[in-house]
Structures are given as C-alpha cells and as structure tokens.
Amino acid sequence: MDPFVYLAGPARVLFGVGMLDRLPDEAARLGGTRALILSTPNQRAVAEDIARRLGTRAAGIFDGAVMHVPVDTSRAASEEARRLGADCLVPVGGGSTTGLAKAIALDSGLPILAIPTTYAGSEMTPIYGLTDAGGKRTGRDTKVLPKTVIYDPSLTIPLPVPLSVTSGINALAHAAEGFYGQDRNPITDLLAEEGIRALATGLPQVKAAPQDLDARALCLYGAWLCGTVLGLVGMALHHKLCHTLGGTFNLPHAETHTCVLPHALAYNAASAPGAMRRIARALGAPNAAAGVYDLAAQNGAVVALRDLGLAQRDLERAADLAAASPYPNPRPLERGALRALLDDAWHGRRPAA
Ligand code: NAD
C-alpha cells in the first residue's frame, strides 16, 4: 500500500430523522447566541421554522440566497450579519445557501452550523465560490468549513424528484472522481464506494416513493459521504467541465453534472480501470459510465445538454475552454476527444458499455 496522509474534517455531524430537534443545543455548543439564518426565497418557510426552533438564539433571517453566490448578495448578507450582531450562521438549503454562508464566513470568520436539504455536499468542504462580472472565483479556506452539520432527512421530503435525482448524481460525481484524484487514499475510496452504493440504491427508491423517509435517509447519507470525498480529494475533468459549462453558459448545476458525468467517465475509463471497477461495483452495474447513465435516465433525469438550453454552436467554445488550462486528469486532455465527449453529452447518447 502506498503511504498517504488522511486529513479528517473537524465537523460534528448529527444524522437522522428528528435530529433538527437538537438545533438549539447545537447552536449553544458553538457559542451561538445570535444566529443569522440563511435561505433562498423559496425556502423562507423552512428558515422561519428554524428561527422558531432557535427561539431567542435567532437574530434574523436573510432569504436572498441565489445560485453561484453573486458578490452583491454576499455583501448584502454580510451587512445584515453585522447589523444584527450575528455570532453564527445557520444556512438551511442546498449548495447555494451553504455557499452564501461560506462567503460571509470568509470575511467575518463566523462559525457555520449547516442544515443541508439537497445532496450537493458543500457543507463537507472548505471550498467557496463567488461570482462577479468577471466570472466565478473559487478557493479553499478551512474558515468556511461548517463546524456542525445537521442532516435531517425529513427536510429533504419536499425536494422535487427530478432535483433529487440530479442532485444525487451531482453527489455521486464527487465520489466517482474521488477514485482517480491525485490525493485519494484508501479511506476516501471507502467513503466513495459506500456513498455511491447508498445513492444508487436510494435514488430509485426516492423516485418510487418520494415521501419514504428511509429512502431519503439513504440518499442523504450517501450525499454526506460523497461530499466528504469532494472536500478531501482534488477533482478532475468532470468537475472542471461542469464548472466551465455552468459558469460560461449559465447552466443549472446538478442537471449539468448529470448530463456530463457518464461521458467524463467514458473519457477516462481506459486510463483509470481500477476506479471504473469500483464505481461499477458500487453501482451494481457491469460498466461505470453506462451504469451512471442508466441510473439517471431510468429515474427520469435529463441526460442531454441540449435539453438544458445549451446551443450546439457553443460546444466549440466549451471544448476550447476545457482544453485551455491544464489540470490533473488520468487521461491527457486532447481537444478533439473533449469535443467528441461534449457532443455525446449534448445529444445525451448512452456511453458504450
Ligand atoms: P441550490 O442550492 O441552488 O437549490 C436549488 C433550489 O432548490 C433552490 O431554489 C432551493 O431553495 C431549492 N431546494 C433546496 N432544497 C430543497 C428542499 N429540500 N425542498 C424543496 N426545495 C429545495 O442547488 P444545489 O444543487 O444544492 O447547489 C448548487 C450550488 O452549490 C452551485 O452553485 C454549486 O457550485 C454549489 N456547490 C458547491 C460545493 C462546494 O463544495 N463549495 C459543492 C457542491 C455544490
């Protein structure tokens, strides 16, 4: 076995139905006496429930979280935190809401108690992102890693099935690329394999019975493990492609991951056979790339970039951008092959097994 360094994240995690009841105690544990609760406008009612649960420990709600954390939103939220004298941040929602908390924490150092309601996994990573006119800027800082995370599957019941499936494949992508990341190790491999197995089992169950708490718990558990892998292992082609497509063409995050992942895996398959074997085994499928495609398609997810509104002529520019900056990937980045990958993802073709 090769020598390795494993850096365990410091987060305290509470997992299970009903764990939200522990919120006031957990806020107190962090020393939080004036929590600023964050949400999107859609999830205002959930934020109000969180405020009610926090009682006197709630200082206020900022419900302006939006996709990709625009700098203006981050400034407005930081200003609200200052105005209220907030001493901790409680984002309740998906990656966009957690991302807003991270942006505030980056400047203020306020501790985050995260309550995730999608499978994006941001709560397990020290990665932040901010968008301005010049595009999306990302970085890593342990200051933004949530100190406490409460995963209560009951909060994911209202997550619509199509977003549940694509968000689940977004999580799965972190684990899949974790198998060939440069700084992977046997522990992250274990997390990745168990995370993929949980999602591959849970997502069809959620599709069949969206109100089933056991199925929801399985998916949220898988998302947690996959998010941990994202926080610990550097990602490769798939994540870079999705970052480019999302940032340049303003495509929706989870859906883009779902369309691209089968083709990014097919691109890397011959260069990372061990990773493909483990992904396939966790999926319970004969082939990793085709197995991911089938999981998405059979559960009703959009599998073609053209159905997300990407114009075919934009594929040239996307291929240029993907090939432009070198980054670690098991198979060298060749523009022609990347263009073919994008073509397959645009049409939503099933990768050959
Ligand atoms: P999102 O947070 O944008 O949420 C999408 C929509 O679903 C929002 O309107 C939200 O309010 C709603 N929603 C969330 N949970 C719900 C629920 N349980 N019931 C009903 N509606 C619900 O989407 P996302 O896919 O979770 O996050 C995407 C963003 O997160 C992207 O900007 C991405 O870059 C970022 N991200 C960052 C990291 C990281 O480590 N920094 C990791 C993953 C994703």
Side-chain angles (χ1 to χ4, degrees), residues 40 42-43 67-68 94-97 102 117-118 120 122 125 127 136 155-156 158-160 163 230 253-254:
T40 61
N42 279 347
Q43 289 183 288
M67 190 84 111
H68 302 313
S96 300
T97 306
K102 288 175 163 183
T117 65
T118 71
S122 173
T125 84
I127 306 164
K136 191 163 177 174
L155 288 174
T156 62
L159 189 66
L163 184 53
L230 175 67
H253 180 81

PDB file of all heavy atoms in Angstrom, residues 40 42-43 67-68 94-97 102 117-118 120 122 125 127 136 155-156 158-160 163 230 253-254, ligand 1:
ATOM      1  N   THR A  40     -32.882  30.459   0.553  1.00  0.00           N
ATOM      2  CA  THR A  40     -33.348  31.072  -0.694  1.00  0.00           C
ATOM      3  C   THR A  40     -34.750  31.625  -0.426  1.00  0.00           C
ATOM      4  O   THR A  40     -35.383  31.260   0.584  1.00  0.00           O
ATOM      5  CB  THR A  40     -33.453  30.021  -1.825  1.00  0.00           C
ATOM      6  OG1 THR A  40     -34.397  29.028  -1.419  1.00  0.00           O
ATOM      7  CG2 THR A  40     -32.107  29.374  -2.130  1.00  0.00           C
ATOM      8  N   ASN A  42     -37.366  30.725  -1.932  1.00  0.00           N
ATOM      9  CA  ASN A  42     -38.223  29.523  -1.959  1.00  0.00           C
ATOM     10  C   ASN A  42     -38.377  28.859  -0.608  1.00  0.00           C
ATOM     11  O   ASN A  42     -39.410  28.258  -0.323  1.00  0.00           O
ATOM     12  CB  ASN A  42     -37.564  28.415  -2.814  1.00  0.00           C
ATOM     13  CG  ASN A  42     -37.788  28.608  -4.260  1.00  0.00           C
ATOM     14  OD1 ASN A  42     -38.627  29.420  -4.621  1.00  0.00           O
ATOM     15  ND2 ASN A  42     -37.062  27.867  -5.089  1.00  0.00           N
ATOM     16  N   GLN A  43     -37.291  28.884   0.151  1.00  0.00           N
ATOM     17  CA  GLN A  43     -37.277  28.114   1.401  1.00  0.00           C
ATOM     18  C   GLN A  43     -37.458  29.010   2.636  1.00  0.00           C
ATOM     19  O   GLN A  43     -37.068  28.651   3.740  1.00  0.00           O
ATOM     20  CB  GLN A  43     -35.992  27.285   1.491  1.00  0.00           C
ATOM     21  CG  GLN A  43     -36.001  26.124   0.491  1.00  0.00           C
ATOM     22  CD  GLN A  43     -34.778  25.246   0.623  1.00  0.00           C
ATOM     23  OE1 GLN A  43     -33.682  25.632   0.256  1.00  0.00           O
ATOM     24  NE2 GLN A  43     -34.942  24.044   1.150  1.00  0.00           N
ATOM     25  N   MET A  67     -28.238  31.092  -6.789  1.00  0.00           N
ATOM     26  CA  MET A  67     -27.207  30.236  -7.385  1.00  0.00           C
ATOM     27  C   MET A  67     -25.899  31.007  -7.618  1.00  0.00           C
ATOM     28  O   MET A  67     -25.931  32.173  -8.040  1.00  0.00           O
ATOM     29  CB  MET A  67     -27.763  29.729  -8.724  1.00  0.00           C
ATOM     30  CG  MET A  67     -26.941  28.645  -9.363  1.00  0.00           C
ATOM     31  SD  MET A  67     -27.326  27.016  -8.725  1.00  0.00           S
ATOM     32  CE  MET A  67     -28.121  26.253 -10.107  1.00  0.00           C
ATOM     33  N   HIS A  68     -24.773  30.360  -7.359  1.00  0.00           N
ATOM     34  CA  HIS A  68     -23.418  30.850  -7.680  1.00  0.00           C
ATOM     35  C   HIS A  68     -22.929  32.026  -6.828  1.00  0.00           C
ATOM     36  O   HIS A  68     -21.915  32.639  -7.154  1.00  0.00           O
ATOM     37  CB  HIS A  68     -23.284  31.225  -9.170  1.00  0.00           C
ATOM     38  CG  HIS A  68     -23.593  30.094 -10.097  1.00  0.00           C
ATOM     39  ND1 HIS A  68     -23.059  28.839  -9.906  1.00  0.00           N
ATOM     40  CD2 HIS A  68     -24.383  30.006 -11.190  1.00  0.00           C
ATOM     41  CE1 HIS A  68     -23.506  28.033 -10.849  1.00  0.00           C
ATOM     42  NE2 HIS A  68     -24.318  28.704 -11.636  1.00  0.00           N
ATOM     43  N   GLY A  94     -29.743  24.180  -0.038  1.00  0.00           N
ATOM     44  CA  GLY A  94     -28.784  23.452  -0.874  1.00  0.00           C
ATOM     45  C   GLY A  94     -27.443  24.154  -0.946  1.00  0.00           C
ATOM     46  O   GLY A  94     -27.125  25.026  -0.116  1.00  0.00           O
ATOM     47  N   GLY A  95     -26.669  23.798  -1.979  1.00  0.00           N
ATOM     48  CA  GLY A  95     -25.315  24.324  -2.119  1.00  0.00           C
ATOM     49  C   GLY A  95     -25.273  25.831  -2.258  1.00  0.00           C
ATOM     50  O   GLY A  95     -24.299  26.467  -1.830  1.00  0.00           O
ATOM     51  N   SER A  96     -26.306  26.435  -2.822  1.00  0.00           N
ATOM     52  CA  SER A  96     -26.298  27.889  -2.992  1.00  0.00           C
ATOM     53  C   SER A  96     -26.384  28.598  -1.646  1.00  0.00           C
ATOM     54  O   SER A  96     -25.720  29.621  -1.421  1.00  0.00           O
ATOM     55  CB  SER A  96     -27.478  28.338  -3.863  1.00  0.00           C
ATOM     56  OG  SER A  96     -27.387  27.745  -5.128  1.00  0.00           O
ATOM     57  N   THR A  97     -27.185  28.060  -0.746  1.00  0.00           N
ATOM     58  CA  THR A  97     -27.366  28.671   0.574  1.00  0.00           C
ATOM     59  C   THR A  97     -26.130  28.429   1.450  1.00  0.00           C
ATOM     60  O   THR A  97     -25.632  29.351   2.112  1.00  0.00           O
ATOM     61  CB  THR A  97     -28.639  28.117   1.236  1.00  0.00           C
ATOM     62  OG1 THR A  97     -29.723  28.306   0.321  1.00  0.00           O
ATOM     63  CG2 THR A  97     -28.947  28.826   2.525  1.00  0.00           C
ATOM     64  N   LYS A 102     -20.725  30.462   3.488  1.00  0.00           N
ATOM     65  CA  LYS A 102     -19.260  30.395   3.371  1.00  0.00           C
ATOM     66  C   LYS A 102     -18.685  31.758   2.982  1.00  0.00           C
ATOM     67  O   LYS A 102     -17.635  32.167   3.482  1.00  0.00           O
ATOM     68  CB  LYS A 102     -18.879  29.352   2.325  1.00  0.00           C
ATOM     69  CG  LYS A 102     -19.103  27.914   2.791  1.00  0.00           C
ATOM     70  CD  LYS A 102     -18.821  26.940   1.655  1.00  0.00           C
ATOM     71  CE  LYS A 102     -18.633  25.524   2.164  1.00  0.00           C
ATOM     72  NZ  LYS A 102     -18.287  24.588   1.073  1.00  0.00           N
ATOM     73  N   THR A 117     -30.308  20.555   2.653  1.00  0.00           N
ATOM     74  CA  THR A 117     -31.592  19.988   2.218  1.00  0.00           C
ATOM     75  C   THR A 117     -31.519  19.459   0.781  1.00  0.00           C
ATOM     76  O   THR A 117     -32.544  19.155   0.193  1.00  0.00           O
ATOM     77  CB  THR A 117     -32.724  21.033   2.323  1.00  0.00           C
ATOM     78  OG1 THR A 117     -32.457  22.102   1.397  1.00  0.00           O
ATOM     79  CG2 THR A 117     -32.844  21.607   3.724  1.00  0.00           C
ATOM     80  N   THR A 118     -30.311  19.435   0.192  1.00  0.00           N
ATOM     81  CA  THR A 118     -30.103  18.749  -1.094  1.00  0.00           C
ATOM     82  C   THR A 118     -28.922  17.800  -0.905  1.00  0.00           C
ATOM     83  O   THR A 118     -28.404  17.667   0.219  1.00  0.00           O
ATOM     84  CB  THR A 118     -29.769  19.725  -2.249  1.00  0.00           C
ATOM     85  OG1 THR A 118     -28.449  20.252  -2.047  1.00  0.00           O
ATOM     86  CG2 THR A 118     -30.762  20.865  -2.352  1.00  0.00           C
ATOM     87  N   ALA A 120     -25.963  18.198  -2.560  1.00  0.00           N
ATOM     88  CA  ALA A 120     -24.798  18.834  -3.191  1.00  0.00           C
ATOM     89  C   ALA A 120     -23.490  18.582  -2.437  1.00  0.00           C
ATOM     90  O   ALA A 120     -22.441  18.430  -3.041  1.00  0.00           O
ATOM     91  CB  ALA A 120     -25.034  20.341  -3.320  1.00  0.00           C
ATOM     92  N   SER A 122     -21.799  20.556  -0.257  1.00  0.00           N
ATOM     93  CA  SER A 122     -20.929  21.707   0.034  1.00  0.00           C
ATOM     94  C   SER A 122     -20.589  21.812   1.518  1.00  0.00           C
ATOM     95  O   SER A 122     -19.502  22.267   1.886  1.00  0.00           O
ATOM     96  CB  SER A 122     -21.625  22.985  -0.455  1.00  0.00           C
ATOM     97  OG  SER A 122     -20.914  24.122  -0.068  1.00  0.00           O
ATOM     98  N   THR A 125     -17.157  20.595   2.698  1.00  0.00           N
ATOM     99  CA  THR A 125     -15.923  21.039   2.035  1.00  0.00           C
ATOM    100  C   THR A 125     -15.487  22.432   2.489  1.00  0.00           C
ATOM    101  O   THR A 125     -16.323  23.264   2.851  1.00  0.00           O
ATOM    102  CB  THR A 125     -16.085  21.083   0.489  1.00  0.00           C
ATOM    103  OG1 THR A 125     -16.691  22.333   0.111  1.00  0.00           O
ATOM    104  CG2 THR A 125     -16.914  19.937  -0.048  1.00  0.00           C
ATOM    105  N   ILE A 127     -14.392  24.482   0.376  1.00  0.00           N
ATOM    106  CA  ILE A 127     -14.355  25.175  -0.927  1.00  0.00           C
ATOM    107  C   ILE A 127     -15.448  26.244  -0.963  1.00  0.00           C
ATOM    108  O   ILE A 127     -16.599  25.966  -0.635  1.00  0.00           O
ATOM    109  CB  ILE A 127     -14.598  24.169  -2.076  1.00  0.00           C
ATOM    110  CG1 ILE A 127     -13.607  23.005  -1.988  1.00  0.00           C
ATOM    111  CG2 ILE A 127     -14.514  24.868  -3.428  1.00  0.00           C
ATOM    112  CD1 ILE A 127     -13.993  21.785  -2.829  1.00  0.00           C
ATOM    113  N   LYS A 136     -16.747  33.205 -12.137  1.00  0.00           N
ATOM    114  CA  LYS A 136     -16.788  32.566 -10.810  1.00  0.00           C
ATOM    115  C   LYS A 136     -15.367  32.329 -10.300  1.00  0.00           C
ATOM    116  O   LYS A 136     -14.528  31.796 -11.007  1.00  0.00           O
ATOM    117  CB  LYS A 136     -17.540  31.231 -10.911  1.00  0.00           C
ATOM    118  CG  LYS A 136     -17.862  30.614  -9.566  1.00  0.00           C
ATOM    119  CD  LYS A 136     -18.941  29.542  -9.681  1.00  0.00           C
ATOM    120  CE  LYS A 136     -19.212  28.886  -8.339  1.00  0.00           C
ATOM    121  NZ  LYS A 136     -20.332  27.965  -8.379  1.00  0.00           N
ATOM    122  N   LEU A 155     -36.218  16.949   6.117  1.00  0.00           N
ATOM    123  CA  LEU A 155     -36.152  18.214   5.378  1.00  0.00           C
ATOM    124  C   LEU A 155     -36.017  18.001   3.870  1.00  0.00           C
ATOM    125  O   LEU A 155     -36.218  18.936   3.087  1.00  0.00           O
ATOM    126  CB  LEU A 155     -34.959  19.047   5.856  1.00  0.00           C
ATOM    127  CG  LEU A 155     -35.084  19.674   7.237  1.00  0.00           C
ATOM    128  CD1 LEU A 155     -33.778  20.332   7.628  1.00  0.00           C
ATOM    129  CD2 LEU A 155     -36.216  20.690   7.261  1.00  0.00           C
ATOM    130  N   THR A 156     -35.635  16.793   3.466  1.00  0.00           N
ATOM    131  CA  THR A 156     -35.454  16.540   2.026  1.00  0.00           C
ATOM    132  C   THR A 156     -36.730  15.986   1.377  1.00  0.00           C
ATOM    133  O   THR A 156     -36.772  15.829   0.160  1.00  0.00           O
ATOM    134  CB  THR A 156     -34.278  15.573   1.755  1.00  0.00           C
ATOM    135  OG1 THR A 156     -34.557  14.317   2.373  1.00  0.00           O
ATOM    136  CG2 THR A 156     -32.974  16.128   2.287  1.00  0.00           C
ATOM    137  N   PRO A 158     -39.559  17.468   0.720  1.00  0.00           N
ATOM    138  CA  PRO A 158     -40.129  18.347  -0.329  1.00  0.00           C
ATOM    139  C   PRO A 158     -39.224  18.538  -1.548  1.00  0.00           C
ATOM    140  O   PRO A 158     -39.635  19.195  -2.505  1.00  0.00           O
ATOM    141  CB  PRO A 158     -40.314  19.697   0.379  1.00  0.00           C
ATOM    142  CG  PRO A 158     -39.949  19.507   1.798  1.00  0.00           C
ATOM    143  CD  PRO A 158     -39.190  18.241   1.918  1.00  0.00           C
ATOM    144  N   LEU A 159     -38.001  18.011  -1.515  1.00  0.00           N
ATOM    145  CA  LEU A 159     -37.105  18.182  -2.676  1.00  0.00           C
ATOM    146  C   LEU A 159     -37.736  17.448  -3.873  1.00  0.00           C
ATOM    147  O   LEU A 159     -37.924  16.232  -3.814  1.00  0.00           O
ATOM    148  CB  LEU A 159     -35.726  17.597  -2.350  1.00  0.00           C
ATOM    149  CG  LEU A 159     -34.604  17.866  -3.359  1.00  0.00           C
ATOM    150  CD1 LEU A 159     -34.249  19.355  -3.433  1.00  0.00           C
ATOM    151  CD2 LEU A 159     -33.355  17.055  -2.991  1.00  0.00           C
ATOM    152  N   PRO A 160     -38.095  18.193  -4.937  1.00  0.00           N
ATOM    153  CA  PRO A 160     -38.802  17.541  -6.049  1.00  0.00           C
ATOM    154  C   PRO A 160     -37.991  16.363  -6.613  1.00  0.00           C
ATOM    155  O   PRO A 160     -36.756  16.401  -6.606  1.00  0.00           O
ATOM    156  CB  PRO A 160     -38.921  18.666  -7.093  1.00  0.00           C
ATOM    157  CG  PRO A 160     -38.745  19.939  -6.326  1.00  0.00           C
ATOM    158  CD  PRO A 160     -37.844  19.611  -5.170  1.00  0.00           C
ATOM    159  N   LEU A 163     -35.106  17.056  -9.127  1.00  0.00           N
ATOM    160  CA  LEU A 163     -33.919  17.656  -8.497  1.00  0.00           C
ATOM    161  C   LEU A 163     -33.256  16.665  -7.541  1.00  0.00           C
ATOM    162  O   LEU A 163     -32.033  16.667  -7.383  1.00  0.00           O
ATOM    163  CB  LEU A 163     -34.307  18.957  -7.775  1.00  0.00           C
ATOM    164  CG  LEU A 163     -33.159  19.770  -7.148  1.00  0.00           C
ATOM    165  CD1 LEU A 163     -32.049  20.063  -8.146  1.00  0.00           C
ATOM    166  CD2 LEU A 163     -33.678  21.090  -6.572  1.00  0.00           C
ATOM    167  N   LEU A 230     -15.341  14.988  -1.790  1.00  0.00           N
ATOM    168  CA  LEU A 230     -15.107  16.249  -2.514  1.00  0.00           C
ATOM    169  C   LEU A 230     -14.203  17.180  -1.703  1.00  0.00           C
ATOM    170  O   LEU A 230     -13.338  17.868  -2.249  1.00  0.00           O
ATOM    171  CB  LEU A 230     -16.448  16.939  -2.808  1.00  0.00           C
ATOM    172  CG  LEU A 230     -16.391  18.330  -3.449  1.00  0.00           C
ATOM    173  CD1 LEU A 230     -15.847  18.263  -4.869  1.00  0.00           C
ATOM    174  CD2 LEU A 230     -17.785  18.976  -3.467  1.00  0.00           C
ATOM    175  N   HIS A 253     -26.722  23.678 -12.104  1.00  0.00           N
ATOM    176  CA  HIS A 253     -25.606  22.908 -11.546  1.00  0.00           C
ATOM    177  C   HIS A 253     -25.822  21.381 -11.563  1.00  0.00           C
ATOM    178  O   HIS A 253     -25.067  20.647 -12.209  1.00  0.00           O
ATOM    179  CB  HIS A 253     -25.364  23.407 -10.115  1.00  0.00           C
ATOM    180  CG  HIS A 253     -24.265  22.723  -9.407  1.00  0.00           C
ATOM    181  ND1 HIS A 253     -22.935  23.050  -9.587  1.00  0.00           N
ATOM    182  CD2 HIS A 253     -24.270  21.703  -8.511  1.00  0.00           C
ATOM    183  CE1 HIS A 253     -22.189  22.266  -8.840  1.00  0.00           C
ATOM    184  NE2 HIS A 253     -22.977  21.448  -8.175  1.00  0.00           N
ATOM    185  N   ALA A 254     -26.828  20.924 -10.846  1.00  0.00           N
ATOM    186  CA  ALA A 254     -26.996  19.473 -10.680  1.00  0.00           C
ATOM    187  C   ALA A 254     -27.323  18.797 -12.017  1.00  0.00           C
ATOM    188  O   ALA A 254     -26.835  17.701 -12.318  1.00  0.00           O
ATOM    189  CB  ALA A 254     -28.098  19.198  -9.650  1.00  0.00           C
TER     190      ALA A 254
HETATM  191  P1  NAD B   1     -29.470  25.051  -4.870  1.00  0.00           P
HETATM  192  O1  NAD B   1     -28.913  25.237  -3.517  1.00  0.00           O
HETATM  193  O2  NAD B   1     -29.278  26.167  -5.856  1.00  0.00           O
HETATM  194  O3  NAD B   1     -31.025  24.720  -4.738  1.00  0.00           O
HETATM  195  C1  NAD B   1     -31.857  24.659  -5.873  1.00  0.00           C
HETATM  196  C2  NAD B   1     -33.282  25.045  -5.500  1.00  0.00           C
HETATM  197  O4  NAD B   1     -33.861  24.003  -4.725  1.00  0.00           O
HETATM  198  C3  NAD B   1     -33.359  26.304  -4.628  1.00  0.00           C
HETATM  199  O5  NAD B   1     -34.449  27.086  -5.026  1.00  0.00           O
HETATM  200  C4  NAD B   1     -33.601  25.750  -3.258  1.00  0.00           C
HETATM  201  O6  NAD B   1     -34.264  26.634  -2.396  1.00  0.00           O
HETATM  202  C5  NAD B   1     -34.439  24.544  -3.551  1.00  0.00           C
HETATM  203  N1  NAD B   1     -34.373  23.499  -2.517  1.00  0.00           N
HETATM  204  C6  NAD B   1     -33.278  23.081  -1.851  1.00  0.00           C
HETATM  205  N2  NAD B   1     -33.601  22.100  -1.000  1.00  0.00           N
HETATM  206  C7  NAD B   1     -34.936  21.903  -1.119  1.00  0.00           C
HETATM  207  C8  NAD B   1     -35.846  21.019  -0.484  1.00  0.00           C
HETATM  208  N3  NAD B   1     -35.443  20.099   0.401  1.00  0.00           N
HETATM  209  N4  NAD B   1     -37.140  21.090  -0.827  1.00  0.00           N
HETATM  210  C9  NAD B   1     -37.563  21.974  -1.771  1.00  0.00           C
HETATM  211  N5  NAD B   1     -36.726  22.833  -2.409  1.00  0.00           N
HETATM  212  C10 NAD B   1     -35.431  22.796  -2.082  1.00  0.00           C
HETATM  213  O7  NAD B   1     -28.912  23.722  -5.577  1.00  0.00           O
HETATM  214  P2  NAD B   1     -27.743  22.722  -5.201  1.00  0.00           P
HETATM  215  O8  NAD B   1     -27.629  21.824  -6.355  1.00  0.00           O
HETATM  216  O9  NAD B   1     -27.928  22.141  -3.846  1.00  0.00           O
HETATM  217  O10 NAD B   1     -26.446  23.648  -5.104  1.00  0.00           O
HETATM  218  C11 NAD B   1     -25.816  24.151  -6.255  1.00  0.00           C
HETATM  219  C12 NAD B   1     -24.755  25.180  -5.890  1.00  0.00           C
HETATM  220  O11 NAD B   1     -23.900  24.679  -4.891  1.00  0.00           O
HETATM  221  C13 NAD B   1     -23.866  25.560  -7.068  1.00  0.00           C
HETATM  222  O12 NAD B   1     -23.642  26.958  -7.081  1.00  0.00           O
HETATM  223  C14 NAD B   1     -22.576  24.821  -6.781  1.00  0.00           C
HETATM  224  O13 NAD B   1     -21.445  25.453  -7.346  1.00  0.00           O
HETATM  225  C15 NAD B   1     -22.535  24.818  -5.283  1.00  0.00           C
HETATM  226  N6  NAD B   1     -21.779  23.697  -4.712  1.00  0.00           N
HETATM  227  C16 NAD B   1     -20.664  23.992  -4.006  1.00  0.00           C
HETATM  228  C17 NAD B   1     -19.926  22.987  -3.429  1.00  0.00           C
HETATM  229  C18 NAD B   1     -18.709  23.314  -2.627  1.00  0.00           C
HETATM  230  O14 NAD B   1     -18.059  22.436  -2.085  1.00  0.00           O
HETATM  231  N7  NAD B   1     -18.367  24.567  -2.477  1.00  0.00           N
HETATM  232  C19 NAD B   1     -20.321  21.647  -3.563  1.00  0.00           C
HETATM  233  C20 NAD B   1     -21.475  21.373  -4.294  1.00  0.00           C
HETATM  234  C21 NAD B   1     -22.204  22.414  -4.852  1.00  0.00           C
END
